[in-house]
Amino acid sequence: MKKIKGVNDFVVKFANVNGTGSASANHLFAKTIFRMGIPVSPRNIFPSNIQGLPTWYEVRVSKNGYLGRRGGVDLMVCVNPQSMEKDVASVDPGGYFLYDSTKPLPTHLKRDDITYIGIPLTQMCMQEFEVPRLQQLLKNVVYVGALAALLNMDLSMVKDLLADQFKGKEKLISSNVQALEIGYQYALENYKCPLAIRLENGNADAPHIAESEHILMNGNTAAALGAIYGGATVAAWYPITPSTSVVDAFSKYAERLRIDPGTGKRNYAIVQAEDELAAIGMVVGANWNGARAFTATSGPGLSLMSEFLGLAYFAEVPVVLINVQRSGPSTGMPTRSQQSDVLAAAYASHGDTKQVLLFPATPRECFDMTVEAFDLSERLQTPVILMSDLDLGMNDWMSPPLEWDDKYEMDRGKVLDAQGLDEAEKWGRYLDVDGDGICFRTLPGTHPDKGAYFTRGSSKNEMAVYSESGEDYVQNVDRLLRKFDTAKTYVPTPKTHPPIEVKKPKTKLKIGTLFFGTSASPSYEAVEILAEEGIPIDTMRIRAFPFHNDLDDFIHDHDLVFVIEQNRDGQMRQLIMNECQIAPDKLTSVLNYSGTPITARAIAGKIRETLNTHSADVVALRPETA
Amino acid sequence: MSYVKPKFRHPKLPTNSLGYSVADYDGAISTLCAGCGHDSISAAIRNACFKSAIPPHRIAKLSGIGCSSKMPTYFLGRSHGFNSVHGRMPSVATGASLANRELTYIGVSGDGDTASIGMGQFVHLIRRNVNMTYIVANNGCYGLTKGQDSATADLGSVAKGGAVNPFDGIDLASLALLQGASFVARSFSGDKEQLEPLIRAAMAHKGFAFIDVVSPCVTFNNHAGSTKSYAETRAHVDAMQLDFIPMREEIRTQYEAGTSQTVTLHDGSVIHLQKASSDYATDDRAAAMQAIQKAEAEDKILTGLLHLDPNSQDLNQLLNLANKPLNELDKDELCPGSRVLDSINQGLR
Ligand SMILES: Cc1ncc(C[n+]2csc(CCOP(=O)(O)OP(=O)(O)O)c2C)c(N)n1
Ligand code: SF4
Ligand SMILES: [Mg+2]
């Protein structure tokens, strides 16, 4: 048997039972690798359940700094008898399978192309600890200890992290350290340590994460901090996975950072609404009244908010909506990731609507783009939807640190105060004086005689007077379209990278890829895999809707463009075709909608396969390496 | 257009303590059917704001969708207004009130808007005790969509087409009481002597003030057999008379002992109640409930101030919000700055 080898380059997957305390032990494992300066990307793959169902945690270690999923499993740590059969089968040939050997492994689970590592976790914990709860919980820490020996982890770092985690609870620290040590010793005594897959300190100079000093955080926390820094004062929401932790984090930071020092009162309000209709209604009311307000939701919540999104679009009220996408439709797979709200968000609501969307790909972008969403929504007087997803929102990602420019000023857009109203020659709420489609608004309570108007979802003329005249209506919705065009000049531009040099290209075709959000990392990796094989591919990462003109140019400059995304219907592809008048055969979808994030291998495989059908233009390609 | 001073006023028009005449509280000409109860409510709101001398621009008007929800166009033309979506004005009002605690908020809704599509938001608005006046123009039908029964239509009421309503109606005042509303009143659009002081009291109240106003729809629900017609309402109404005396104003009227009750609001304003047939203390929620049920059993519609909780704490207080309106907080008060962010980064390494 040829064993898988690799220093700082492998995938470990943990198979646990939900609600057994495995999450913090697994996090401890990933965080230690992070602290060792090695690029790491951990992912929870969890059921919609509080206790008892199988849950997985996948940790990718990548010396190159690839943070997306690679595909495949090199080491499986299985502490869940329910899923064991499937877990054994999912290990790559040459890989490793660590299991609780208190009970012998059923013979039908024996494969001869993988290495088994038995650690009697249950037995060790029964002997070592008396409290039943600890016997259960510390099993997880014992396997972390064993992994420390097997993978050459820095044991002192693990202990430091434990000490941080249980600060003030000395008893817990000592029992955890004890569990760690017995696991470590057991592995040392019974197996040849370290394995052929192992860790070695430092790789912070890896190409994809070259700027060192990374942080490890999830996108939802980053977005919440964006709301704090962006000056949000009202958050209204209704609990739904995977967006709940946005407001949880906002609440946590606001309690620390937003208390008025003089009075001890709050400079923010959080309302857990009765449903998503009310949540966004509150956000509309607060923004209409001049406060920066936001909501966060997912899946069905977005559908419920769509009526108000139409009102806010048509009545031109700013709204910031953080949409953390999950697998739909309906309740779909609420704890699994997807990018499947693209169309529902872009055209959210009845009638002719187009909404501004931002697509963050890293926690840093979740932070920056949330701040930007507040500025944009006030500048453009329209909803702005941050299109995150479960993978980005709920998993820890290595990210450049968050940065803040103390010179930042909020862009409140075109708002006339009392003086502005007095100085204005003529004011009408929907008069397009600047020709950019954006009119001047006023806030309630501003001026005794001027600036009052009626906000409504019904048609009106430029002076905000109710009107059912077809001309007034057309003039208004055409102006809204002009405004959407103006938005192109404000939203984040797409990102391209210099192409990777390919010495002897095997294809004459000019190939491009388009992707966004969490599809980006594995897409960049796939492009590098293919470059190695002699296929040069250009990339463009879309960061906003409306699309920048560069997107049109990019598509026109290439013979074949792959649109890589995580939904069934190729929604981004459809949106591009719809908005940019692109012939359908120009754009080929690369899709994954299984609920687990797309992998680099899958992307590379699909592109390879497509190119093989263009055989006239492509010299024979190497088959996929496992 | 250069700066114009407030409109020329006819010297004979009386002004309030701010120097505004009642015309300064006017809105656009109503487009509702002639005789519609809703227009009388608009007039009562206008008069109440004028008499209570609230600067018009410090009032915000909010509504849902329906004939009733169109009303805010027809009063207070100098106030900002928001005609939102059907049944969901409560959430918009909640957000607005969180953003600026210093304005006076008047919400206008219909029985369809509140008791059907907006029922969820309505009860939660009560539960949160948002500081606003919430008026339902209750005509027992959907006026704007041409007369279908609403959820407040009384059992046995006959629709214009002859169909008899087989369902029990929802009584919004009882519901508000049950849910803990801090100010509950009922009135009749035809009784402006009662409605105006009620609206003034509601606006002075700190917290959620609910007024259910029977407001006949002359076009779809004013025929014989309808329980929400002018004639039927007049025949059954059991009205308390009341006076509203704002703070600092002297009580001049002499009230006969034993027939009246004085209720003091948080700002020192006083409501003087002349009881009709029932007699109970308005701070007693259970007694209010009983009085409504007793009147109902006697085939009467009890109107007036039904309940007032003098210890009401509004949403802004419940959430311990800053005294300064949230929409006036500036960058320095909101943004923690780069040093704090650096320390947050440090904690994530
Ligand atoms: C979501 C939605 N559904 C339906 C309607 C249509 N609609 C408009 S007004 C109305 C009923 C209004 O009844 P009520 O609130 O009692 O007001 P009234 O006209 O009787 O004063 C309905 C159903 C709508 N505007 N929005
Ligand atoms: S239809 Fe009825 S409720 Fe509507 S305006 Fe006419 S009378 Fe009033
Ligand atoms: Mg009605």
Side-chain angles (χ1 to χ4, degrees):
Chain A
M1 174 179 49
K2 212 175 126 200
K3 290 185 184 175
I4 296 174
K5 289 185 188 146
V7 175
N8 294 351
D9 199 6
F10 51 85
V11 174
V12 184
K13 193 165 177 175
F14 298 83
N16 304 95
V17 181
N18 212 21
T20 54
S22 56
S24 69
N26 295 347
H27 177 75
L28 184 69
F29 173 78
K31 182 97 185 211
T32 306
I33 300 175
F34 170 74
R35 286 243 174 124
M36 288 171 74
I38 304 164
V40 61
S41 54
R43 279 185 177 76
N44 255 308
I45 300 162
F46 60 105
S48 179
N49 158 277
I50 303 300
Q51 209 173 46
L53 288 184
T55 173
W56 290 271
Y57 189 73
E58 188 180 285
V59 178
R60 177 169 192 197
V61 181
S62 163
K63 62 173 188 251
N64 289 324
Y66 297 132
L67 301 179
R69 285 184 74 219
R70 178 199 72 183
V73 179
D74 302 317
L75 165 60
M76 174 68 78
V77 178
C78 181
V79 271
N80 183 4
Q82 291 172 69
S83 63
M84 198 175 263
E85 190 159 347
K86 199 174 148 199
D87 293 332
V88 168
S90 67
V91 180
D92 283 12
Y96 307 83
F97 187 83
L98 188 156
Y99 66 102
D100 183 353
S101 57
T102 306
K103 275 194 209 152
L105 195 71
T107 44
H108 73 281
L109 296 183
K110 287 262 191 319
R111 277 170 61 177
D112 50 17
D113 61 345
I114 60 175
T115 306
Y116 288 85
I117 303 165
I119 315 263
L121 302 171
T122 307
Q123 193 194 332
M124 287 163 80
C125 284
M126 298 290 271
Q127 277 166 8
E128 211 69 29
F129 306 105
E130 266 159 29
V131 188
R133 178 85 188 129
L134 283 187
Q135 291 172 344
Q136 165 72 20
L137 280 177
L138 292 174
K139 270 198 262 181
N140 305 306
V141 182
V142 175
Y143 70 64
V144 174
L147 288 172
L150 292 163
L151 297 175
N152 192 34
M153 278 163 85
D154 190 328
L155 195 65
S156 65
M157 273 189 193
V158 191
K159 288 182 188 166
D160 287 350
L161 275 166
L162 272 175
D164 279 0
Q165 192 181 331
F166 298 112
K167 205 177 263 166
K169 299 173 192 160
E170 303 308 321
K171 258 204 183 135
L172 276 178
I173 299 182
S174 64
S175 51
N176 271 274
V177 168
Q178 192 186 346
L180 199 64
E181 300 269 10
I182 58 170
Y184 190 82
Q185 285 309 326
Y186 187 93
L188 274 189
E189 283 158 20
N190 294 281
Y191 295 94
K192 192 170 164 282
C193 293
L195 303 174
I197 51 168
R198 72 174 74 143
L199 300 162
E200 268 167 27
N201 267 12
N203 245 144
D205 55 346
H208 284 273
I209 53 153
E211 322 136 64
S212 58
E213 281 287 82
H214 270 59
I215 53 172
L216 190 66
M217 85 183 301
N218 63 63
N220 283 356
T221 304
L225 276 167
I228 296 273
Y229 275 74
T233 50
V234 176
W237 70 300
Y238 188 78
I240 186 166
T241 307
S243 63
T244 294
S245 55
V246 174
V247 181
D248 286 347
F250 181 77
S251 166
K252 183 183 105 184
Y253 284 112
E255 275 164 34
R256 245 173 66 193
L257 304 171
R258 282 288 196 75
I259 303 296
D260 182 76
T263 59
K265 294 188 172 191
R266 290 176 176 164
N267 282 338
Y268 68 98
I270 300 176
V271 184
Q272 183 184 319
E274 54 272 31
D275 56 30
E276 286 86 350
L277 304 165
I280 193 167
M282 291 174 198
V283 171
V284 166
N287 272 300
W288 172 74
N289 215 359
R292 287 194 154 183
F294 76 102
T295 185
T297 197
S298 307
L302 180 69
S303 298
L304 287 187
M305 290 184 181
S306 111
E307 183 191 32
F308 259 118
L309 284 170
L311 171 82
Y313 171 82
F314 194 62
E316 300 182 70
V317 182
V319 164
V320 171
L321 162 52
I322 297 169
N323 180 36
V324 189
Q325 297 167 92
R326 61 187 217 179
S327 302
S330 191
T331 334
M333 292 198 288
T335 59
R336 307 299 160 113
S337 199
Q338 253 180 12
Q339 299 178 307
S340 52
D341 294 343
V342 176
L343 288 173
Y347 300 129
S349 214
H350 48 282
D352 287 321
T353 45
K354 286 177 195 247
Q355 310 288 4
V356 176
L357 313 180
L358 306 181
F359 299 100
T362 60
R364 167 69 184 271
E365 269 191 349
C366 288
F367 175 77
D368 291 343
M369 285 185 175
T370 301
V371 177
E372 204 167 352
F374 285 104
D375 286 337
L376 284 170
S377 71
E378 292 203 288
R379 167 61 43 193
L380 300 166
Q381 300 175 14
T382 201
V384 174
I385 307 177
L386 187 82
M387 301 288 282
S388 179
D389 64 24
L390 183 147
D391 185 22
L392 177 58
M394 289 188 71
N395 287 316
D396 279 337
W397 288 68
M398 281 178 69
S399 165
L402 310 181
E403 271 178 31
W404 189 251
D405 177 359
D406 287 315
K407 291 199 286 296
Y408 166 80
E409 291 296 336
M410 295 184 208
D411 181 359
R412 308 305 306 256
K414 300 185 189 178
V415 182
L416 287 180
D417 58 11
Q419 194 189 343
L421 277 164
D422 280 333
E423 285 164 4
E425 290 220 338
K426 183 183 180 194
W427 175 78
R429 172 65 183 94
Y430 301 107
L431 267 180
D432 186 8
V433 281
D434 299 328
D436 56 1
I438 308 169
C439 312
F440 283 85
R441 67 175 184 134
T442 59
L443 302 178
T446 304
H447 191 293
D449 323 291
K450 296 177 179 179
Y453 74 101
F454 219 89
T455 304
R456 47 164 66 85
S458 311
S459 187
K460 59 247 161 185
N461 65 19
E462 291 177 316
M463 305 308 287
V465 176
Y466 181 87
S467 164
E468 292 182 18
S469 129
E471 280 132 68
D472 286 338
Y473 177 83
V474 168
Q475 186 184 42
N476 190 41
V477 292
D478 285 353
R479 179 182 55 76
L480 288 175
L481 205 56
R482 194 155 66 241
K483 182 167 88 167
F484 200 69
D485 215 46
T486 301
K488 280 188 186 180
T489 59
Y490 285 105
V491 298
T493 51
K495 280 250 190 292
T496 50
H497 290 286
I500 306 166
E501 286 249 5
V502 173
K503 293 251 166 58
K504 277 190 206 142
K506 289 186 186 153
T507 171
K508 296 194 260 322
L509 288 171
K510 275 199 82 182
I511 306 165
T513 46
L514 292 170
F515 43 77
F516 59 97
T518 51
S519 297
S521 256
S523 296
Y524 288 128
E525 183 178 354
V527 164
E528 288 182 25
I529 294 173
L530 292 167
E532 287 254 312
E533 297 171 16
I535 306 165
I537 299 179
D538 295 326
T539 61
M540 176 175 269
R541 176 160 73 88
I542 296 168
R543 298 202 303 155
F545 177 69
F547 298 126
H548 197 262
N549 296 337
D550 287 0
L551 177 71
D552 288 55
D553 297 344
F554 183 86
I555 296 171
H556 287 290
D557 286 350
H558 290 86
D559 303 311
L560 187 60
V561 177
F562 292 92
V563 186
I564 303 160
E565 53 186 316
Q566 303 179 57
N567 55 64
R568 185 192 65 184
D569 294 339
Q571 296 189 19
M572 183 59 87
R573 176 176 174 272
Q574 288 190 46
L575 191 62
I576 294 170
M577 274 165 24
N578 206 19
E579 297 286 327
C580 307
Q581 271 82 53
I582 303 287
D585 58 358
K586 189 92 189 246
L587 302 178
T588 302
S589 277
V590 176
L591 304 173
N592 169 66
Y593 42 95
S594 62
T596 35
I598 195 166
T599 66
R601 286 180 183 174
I603 297 168
K606 169 72 185 180
I607 293 178
R608 222 182 264 118
E609 182 191 306
T610 310
L611 292 179
N612 281 335
T613 63
H614 280 254
S615 48
D617 305 302
V618 188
V619 202
L621 293 170
R622 254 197 291 156
E624 180 173 356
T625 46
Chain B
M1 194 165 59
S2 62
Y3 181 81
V4 261
K5 287 236 147 53
K7 278 185 226 144
F8 171 77
R9 291 191 196 99
H10 197 283
K12 273 188 221 142
L13 276 183
T15 54
N16 60 19
S17 60
L18 295 176
Y20 287 108
S21 79
V22 73
D24 293 321
Y25 293 82
D26 274 338
I29 305 282
S30 171
T31 59
L32 303 179
C33 308
C36 174
H38 301 354
D39 280 336
S40 313
I41 302 176
S42 293
I45 295 173
R46 177 197 60 178
N47 295 345
C49 294
F50 164 71
K51 287 185 183 160
S52 285
I54 306 174
H57 73 292
R58 302 300 291 171
I59 300 173
K61 315 168 285 184
L62 299 112
S63 63
I65 298 292
C67 295
S68 34
S69 293
K70 288 183 174 190
M71 280 160 52
T73 318
Y74 315 134
F75 58 85
L76 298 178
R78 293 181 183 207
S79 309
H80 273 68
F82 198 153
N83 193 192
S84 64
V85 284
H86 195 19
R88 328 221 197 273
M89 173 266 281
S91 59
V92 179
T94 303
S97 153
L98 290 172
N100 186 353
R101 61 189 302 168
E102 289 180 350
L103 301 184
T104 298
Y105 296 94
I106 302 177
V108 178
S109 177
D111 43 324
D113 201 59
T114 291
S116 287
I117 193 165
M119 183 59 112
Q121 297 213 344
F122 177 63
V123 275
H124 286 276
L125 187 65
I126 299 173
R127 175 175 162 259
R128 296 193 180 98
N129 204 18
V130 174
N131 188 16
M132 71 180 298
T133 297
Y134 190 101
I135 297 172
V136 169
N138 188 350
N139 53 16
C141 72
Y142 290 7
L144 194 60
T145 51
K146 294 197 178 292
Q148 300 83 356
D149 273 355
S150 82
T152 65
D154 298 299
L155 177 71
S157 185
V158 182
K160 208 175 178 186
V164 178
N165 174 31
F167 303 115
D168 248 330
I170 293 173
D171 177 28
L172 289 169
S174 304
L175 181 86
L177 273 175
L178 257 183
Q179 187 45 55
S182 53
F183 179 115
V184 181
R186 184 153 46 207
S187 193
F188 172 39
S189 65
D191 185 359
K192 82 171 191 192
E193 308 303 325
Q194 186 195 56
L195 186 53
E196 269 181 33
L198 266 182
I199 296 171
R200 295 181 67 191
M203 291 190 300
H205 174 67
K206 192 171 190 60
F208 184 72
F210 176 60
I211 314 179
D212 177 23
V213 186
V214 180
S215 176
C217 169
V218 290
T219 305
F220 297 112
N221 208 11
N222 197 34
H223 48 272
S226 157
T227 56
K228 293 256 191 311
S229 65
Y230 278 111
E232 198 71 3
T233 309
R234 284 211 180 91
H236 293 271
V237 84
D238 179 8
M240 347 176 159
Q241 285 171 25
L242 60 147
D243 281 337
F244 175 76
I245 304 110
M247 61 173 169
R248 288 194 296 269
E249 233 171 69
E250 246 177 88
I251 302 177
R252 293 201 197 88
T253 325
Q254 288 288 314
Y255 299 99
E256 220 177 290
T259 61
S260 67
Q261 182 186 164
T262 303
V263 180
T264 309
L265 291 159
H266 81 107
D267 67 350
S269 311
V270 164
I271 305 166
H272 207 88
L273 286 175
Q274 289 282 93
K275 290 286 176 185
S277 48
S278 58
D279 193 17
Y280 65 93
T282 50
D283 60 355
D284 184 341
R285 188 181 299 280
M289 206 68 192
Q290 253 177 4
I292 292 179
Q293 281 163 1
K294 182 166 162 272
E296 203 183 287
E298 291 164 6
D299 206 13
K300 284 195 266 182
I301 309 163
L302 184 61
T303 65
L305 177 67
L306 303 173
H307 171 66
L308 189 145
D309 173 3
N311 301 318
S312 162
Q313 292 255 317
D314 75 0
L315 180 63
N316 289 281
Q317 293 172 306
L318 295 171
L319 293 182
N320 194 25
L321 297 195
N323 302 329
K324 193 170 172 185
L326 295 183
N327 71 352
E328 284 175 21
L329 295 170
D330 59 27
K331 192 188 93 178
D332 295 335
E333 288 157 305
L334 297 176
C335 184
S338 61
R339 291 237 324 262
V340 170
L341 197 60
D342 289 345
S343 75
I344 292 172
N345 280 324
Q346 206 43 46
L348 297 165
R349 291 206 165 100

